[in-house]
Amino acid sequence: MTHSKTTSGTALQLLVRANFKELVRDSRSLISMSVFFVVTILVLIALQAMINGGGSTPRLLLTDSVESKVTDQLDAVNGIETRNAADADTDAVNAELTREGPGAGYTVVISSEDRPDWLRIVEALESAGVPHFEITVVDDEGSSQIDFLRQNLSLALLTGYAAIAFVGTAAPFARMRNEGVMTMLGTTPVRARDILIAHAPPRILLCRVETMIVLGVAFFSGYMHGGSWLRLIVSLLLAFGFIFSIGFLLAARAKNPDLVTQLAGLVPIIVLFGSGTVIPIPYLSDVPWVRYLIPTNWMADAINLDLSGIAPTLPWGLLWALMILGTVVLLGLSIRLFNWNESDT
């Protein structure tokens, strides 16, 4: 038994090394795994600049309902001009900050004609200790204003994870199955579990790089106010494990690498339509359970809580439980349903 364990461990180490070497040599695979993430990040930054960039200096009217600590913080911020309701010159304001009452959230109403840089107001409110989910921004016509980059940072990360899990993991398995490599490996003592696990380490490094990029964007954009780093790390690990378990399940059965690549391209579209970015959440209020059926929303909501300060639609503990359960079930199915050659059924 000891000899068997040693042989299995040695085989796993050799497979991991072989995967590292193959990934380093194959620059096309690295590019194909990274392009989805890079394009998504660049598109989000460009859309953020077009939609929310270039606003005028906020001339903010502070109503009597605003707390003094918030007023002091806004007065201290460079680039924001504040006025009180008692001031004579209130006609020149292009934004107004109100609060319904003690314990209620804050509402920023901006001018639709002279659009101010409202993102600066939101950042100042968060610096004063106001949670992001207690801040609502609308224009004077009642249209909600959305921080597009903040809303979709988790989308960029999940897109990168999905590309690595599908294009970088499932597609190579499908290719090896078509070429007969998996049939040859099936004649060796190597187990299906070892084959799947050996592909993970080099992909984990790529995921870490993408994660650090997203965390850097969130930090320098001022999104991470008062969140829990520990909870965020756990959410990222669970999201990584869950989405890779989907990739492993595809790897266990996939026979067409082109089909797997196309499937990876559909993930951002599914996330966009289900997350409320394309179809705002209020329009889905009649059927809110639809969002809960899309697993990528579990991951995005859990990550957004501490990455962007956006309150999840479900309790974060339940989101963790769903991801853990999904990961365990999918990994078990991956090993159980693993095909060694193309003709297996």
Side-chain angles (χ1 to χ4, degrees):
M1 183 177 293
T2 303
H3 176 71
S4 176
K5 289 181 179 179
T6 304
T7 303
S8 177
T10 303
L12 181 59
Q13 292 176 6
L14 292 174
L15 287 170
V16 170
R17 292 174 186 172
N19 273 285
F20 267 108
K21 292 179 181 178
E22 180 185 358
L23 198 58
V24 170
R25 288 197 303 262
D26 191 359
S27 58
R28 287 185 300 178
S29 293
L30 283 172
I31 293 173
S32 63
M33 282 189 285
S34 305
V35 67
F36 286 96
F37 172 75
V38 173
V39 169
T40 304
I41 281 286
L42 293 178
V43 168
L44 290 177
I45 292 175
L47 288 174
Q48 176 78 337
M50 289 188 295
I51 296 173
N52 296 320
S56 59
T57 299
R59 298 185 298 276
L60 182 63
L61 176 63
L62 302 175
T63 61
D64 295 336
S65 60
V66 179
E67 290 181 305
S68 58
K69 67 174 184 178
V70 175
T71 301
D72 294 340
Q73 178 65 32
L74 289 167
D75 289 338
V77 174
N78 293 326
I80 298 179
E81 301 176 9
T82 59
R83 293 174 170 82
N84 296 319
D87 292 344
D89 185 18
T90 58
D91 294 333
V93 299
N94 55 17
E96 181 180 351
L97 180 63
T98 61
R99 193 183 192 193
E100 293 298 328
Y106 284 89
T107 300
V108 181
V109 182
I110 65 172
S111 169
S112 56
E113 294 183 0
D114 181 17
R115 289 182 58 84
D117 184 4
W118 59 267
L119 294 176
R120 193 176 300 175
I121 301 175
V122 171
E123 184 175 357
L125 288 173
E126 290 184 271
S127 298
V130 180
H132 179 73
F133 54 83
E134 292 185 2
I135 303 172
T136 302
V137 183
V138 297
D139 63 19
D140 49 19
E141 297 177 351
S143 299
S144 298
Q145 307 299 300
I146 297 175
D147 188 338
F148 199 83
L149 179 61
R150 185 176 202 150
Q151 186 94 1
N152 294 285
L153 261 184
S154 60
L155 164 67
L157 194 58
L158 293 177
T159 300
Y161 285 178
I164 297 173
F166 298 167
V167 179
T169 303
F173 272 85
R175 192 177 304 112
M176 288 189 293
R177 200 167 278 117
N178 275 331
E179 295 173 352
V181 176
M182 296 303 300
T183 303
M184 294 176 60
L185 287 173
T187 63
T188 68
V190 177
R191 294 174 293 182
R193 183 186 64 186
D194 295 335
I195 294 287
L196 291 170
I197 293 175
H199 273 72
R203 275 85 182 164
I204 289 174
L205 287 180
L206 289 177
C207 287
R208 288 184 63 182
V209 172
E210 294 180 353
T211 301
M212 295 305 297
I213 292 173
V214 169
L215 291 178
V217 171
F219 180 80
F220 287 108
S221 298
Y223 295 157
M224 305 180 70
H225 286 282
S228 168
W229 279 98
L230 178 60
R231 185 171 57 191
L232 175 59
I233 291 172
V234 174
S235 296
L236 289 170
L237 290 174
L238 292 178
F240 167 81
F242 186 33
I243 207 164
F244 256 74
S245 66
I246 301 174
F248 283 153
L249 183 60
L250 287 174
R253 306 291 294 184
K255 302 173 183 178
N256 188 335
D258 294 330
L259 182 61
V260 174
T261 304
Q262 293 171 10
L263 180 62
L266 291 175
V267 172
I269 299 175
I270 295 173
V271 176
L272 273 171
F273 275 88
S275 64
T277 301
V278 176
I279 304 176
I281 296 301
Y283 293 101
L284 297 175
S285 58
D286 293 334
V287 283
W289 51 268
V290 172
R291 293 193 72 242
Y292 308 149
L293 298 180
I294 304 175
T296 49
N297 285 335
W298 309 342
M299 296 179 275
D301 280 2
I303 294 171
N304 274 335
L305 175 59
D306 297 298
L307 180 68
S308 302
I310 300 173
T313 53
L314 293 174
W316 59 267
L318 178 57
L319 295 172
W320 281 10
L322 288 171
M323 287 190 286
I324 292 172
L325 178 62
T327 301
V328 172
V329 171
L330 291 175
L331 285 178
L333 287 174
S334 300
I335 298 173
R336 177 78 174 177
L337 302 176
F338 192 88
N339 281 348
W340 287 101
N341 57 67
E342 191 175 8
S343 62
D344 284 345
T345 57

